């Protein structure tokens, strides 16, 4: 009898021998399109399922914030072409010149006082229904699938809120500015991680690009 992905995952992390290997690959939207064309696949076909890849269920931690966060005030004089949007961190994304890439415009790019860093509308978090998350994990396990949850970026989200050059300058000239933002983002990530762990997910994910020449 073939093992489910959950059984394969548990065997792998417990260093138990088995005959199959869990593997995964992610594609950019354009490459995804070209692969589908090459294999003459319908638009409804998921390449992860088509190639039999590892496909855990993403358990999303809901956030309860009663405030109506308004980020428009940070972009009153910014030209917003078609396709522009503001993400959950308040960062403005303008479509780039190729593929899925966007240009970032940071809400705190022009901040000149620490009070502006403090008063920025960072997200507040409160109880998000641990019982409901646990039920989702249990349902996923009954289907023989692995449950995971994305915790979030820390460094990337922080510099995007402030602006990359400004954030690096803050590290050298006024470190309390970037430390304050990092603390706010870390608090959010810890909220996500704790809720996911309590719900019983099999693993949590985080990620960051932390590098410069």
């Amino acid at each position: 009898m073939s093992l489910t992905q959950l059984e394969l995952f548990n065997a792998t992390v417990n260093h138990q021998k088995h005959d199959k290997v869990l593997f995964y690959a992610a594609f950019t939207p354009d490459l995804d399109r070209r692969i589908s064309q090459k294999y003459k696949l319908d638009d409804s076909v998921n390449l992860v399922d088509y190639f039999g890849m590892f496909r855990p269920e993403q358990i999303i931690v809901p956030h309860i914030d009663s405030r109506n966060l308004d980020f428009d005030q940070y972009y009153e004089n910014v030209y917003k072409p078609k396709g522009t949007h503001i993400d959950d961190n308040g960062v403005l994304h303008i479509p780039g010149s190729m593929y899925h890439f966007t240009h970032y415009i940071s809400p705190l790019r022009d901040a000149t006082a620490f009070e502006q860093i403090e008063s920025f509308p960072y997200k507040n978090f409160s109880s998000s229904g641990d019982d409901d998350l646990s039920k989702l994990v249990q349902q996923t396990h009954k289907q023989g699938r692995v449950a995971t949850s994305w915790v979030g970026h820390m460094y990337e989200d922080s510099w995007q809120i402030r602006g990359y050059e400004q954030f690096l300058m803050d590290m050298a000239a006024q470190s309390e500015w970037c430390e304050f933002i990092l603390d706010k983002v870390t608090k959010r990530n810890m909220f996500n991680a704790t809720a996911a762990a309590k719900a019983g997910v099999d693993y949590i994910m985080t990620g960051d690009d932390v590098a410069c020449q």
Side-chain angles (χ1 to χ4, degrees):
M1 183 177 68
S2 60
L3 299 177
T4 65
Q5 288 200 352
L6 178 60
E7 291 170 332
L8 284 171
F9 176 86
N10 287 330
T12 300
V13 297
N14 287 303
H15 305 286
Q16 298 171 351
K17 290 185 177 180
H18 51 80
D19 296 332
K20 290 188 176 181
V21 176
L22 294 173
F23 67 98
Y24 175 76
F27 309 111
T28 62
D30 184 69
L31 182 56
D32 188 288
R33 175 187 60 79
R34 285 185 283 148
I35 291 175
S36 295
Q37 286 181 348
K38 176 179 175 61
Y39 289 94
K40 297 180 174 58
L41 303 178
D42 187 82
D43 291 341
S44 62
V45 175
N46 186 307
L47 293 183
V48 172
D49 293 331
Y50 181 79
F51 290 111
M53 299 184 203
F54 177 50
R55 187 167 72 86
E57 179 69 21
Q58 293 284 346
I59 304 299
I60 299 175
V61 177
H63 297 152
I64 300 174
D65 193 332
S66 60
R67 303 168 302 161
N68 182 21
L69 302 183
D70 179 20
F71 299 110
D72 289 335
Q73 59 180 307
Y74 296 97
Y75 307 106
E76 291 179 352
N77 299 317
V78 175
Y79 172 66
K80 306 175 187 66
K82 183 179 179 181
T84 299
H85 73 277
I86 298 177
D87 67 21
D88 291 341
N89 292 319
V91 179
L92 185 73
H93 292 254
I94 295 178
S97 59
M98 59 185 296
Y99 303 136
H100 59 291
F101 298 106
T102 61
H103 297 290
Y104 299 145
I105 299 183
S106 305
L108 293 179
R109 64 196 181 282
D110 296 326
T112 57
F114 183 64
E115 290 73 19
Q116 293 171 283
I117 305 295
E118 288 183 300
S119 62
F120 182 74
Y122 305 94
K123 279 194 170 184
N124 286 336
F125 306 110
S126 57
S127 176
S128 57
D130 292 339
D131 291 340
D132 292 336
L133 289 179
S134 297
K135 290 177 182 177
L136 288 175
V137 173
Q138 292 169 9
Q139 292 172 3
T140 300
H141 286 169
K142 286 181 180 179
Q143 297 169 0
R145 297 176 60 198
V146 174
T148 184
S149 189
W150 168 252
V151 171
H153 296 295
M154 184 176 72
Y155 176 68
E156 288 185 51
D157 285 352
S158 296
W159 74 249
Q160 288 172 19
I161 290 172
R162 173 65 170 130
Y164 193 58
E165 291 185 15
Q166 294 91 332
F167 194 82
L168 293 179
M169 291 296 293
D170 289 344
M171 285 185 175
Q174 45 204 16
S175 60
E176 67 275 10
W177 290 37
C178 53
E179 289 171 1
F180 185 90
I181 299 173
L182 284 164
D183 284 345
K184 287 290 186 179
V185 175
T186 299
K187 182 178 179 181
R188 177 204 66 188
N189 291 358
M190 288 301 297
F191 176 90
N192 291 339
T194 301
K198 286 182 177 179
V201 301
D202 299 292
Y203 68 97
I204 58 176
M205 296 184 294
T206 186
D208 261 309
D209 291 334
V210 186
C212 59
Q213 294 178 349

